[in-house]
Amino acid sequence: MDLHAFLGGTLTAITLKGKVIRRMGPDHPDLAEEARGLADLARDARAEVRAADDGVPVTGEITSGTGLRSIAERCARLGGQMRVEADQGGRFTLTCRVPE
């Protein structure tokens, strides 16, 4: 899944949940549950963002360049870990997981 598809779908879900919560009103019995669901969805989206490049296939070893090094450093500052992989077809995937 590419970054646009992941974030687009997640942000749409967050927006829709927010609208539902707004319409429920402060005294609705399901308000707390819906708010928790919204917070969980946002936290999960923040915890893992994946980006996949559909461009030229990667061949050989993936080395750390300025861009990858910068992303890894930012991820580490947030207490997370970055992983870079290329599948058999050469599709490049970068995953950065950060704690809640």
Side-chain angles (χ1 to χ4, degrees):
M1 177 183 304
D2 71 6
L3 184 60
H4 181 267
F6 173 77
L7 286 179
T10 302
L11 292 174
T12 298
I14 289 170
T15 301
L16 291 174
K17 275 191 156 294
K19 287 180 180 181
V20 167
I21 290 169
R22 187 179 303 143
R23 288 183 183 159
M24 291 172 87
D27 298 324
H28 194 284
D30 297 328
L31 180 63
E33 182 180 339
E34 289 296 326
R36 277 192 299 276
L38 177 62
D40 290 346
L41 183 60
R43 183 176 41 256
D44 291 348
R46 188 191 76 183
E48 183 170 332
V49 174
R50 295 180 181 199
D53 178 9
D54 293 331
V56 178
V58 175
T59 57
E61 183 180 346
I62 299 172
T63 58
S64 180
T66 303
L68 292 177
R69 193 171 315 138
S70 176
I71 294 170
E73 288 170 358
R74 290 177 185 182
C75 191
R77 277 195 297 251
L78 296 171
Q81 295 178 337
M82 184 185 84
R83 185 176 69 227
V84 181
E85 301 172 303
D87 64 17
Q88 293 295 328
R91 184 177 170 91
F92 172 86
T93 303
L94 180 143
T95 304
C96 181
R97 286 194 139 275
V98 294
E100 295 180 15

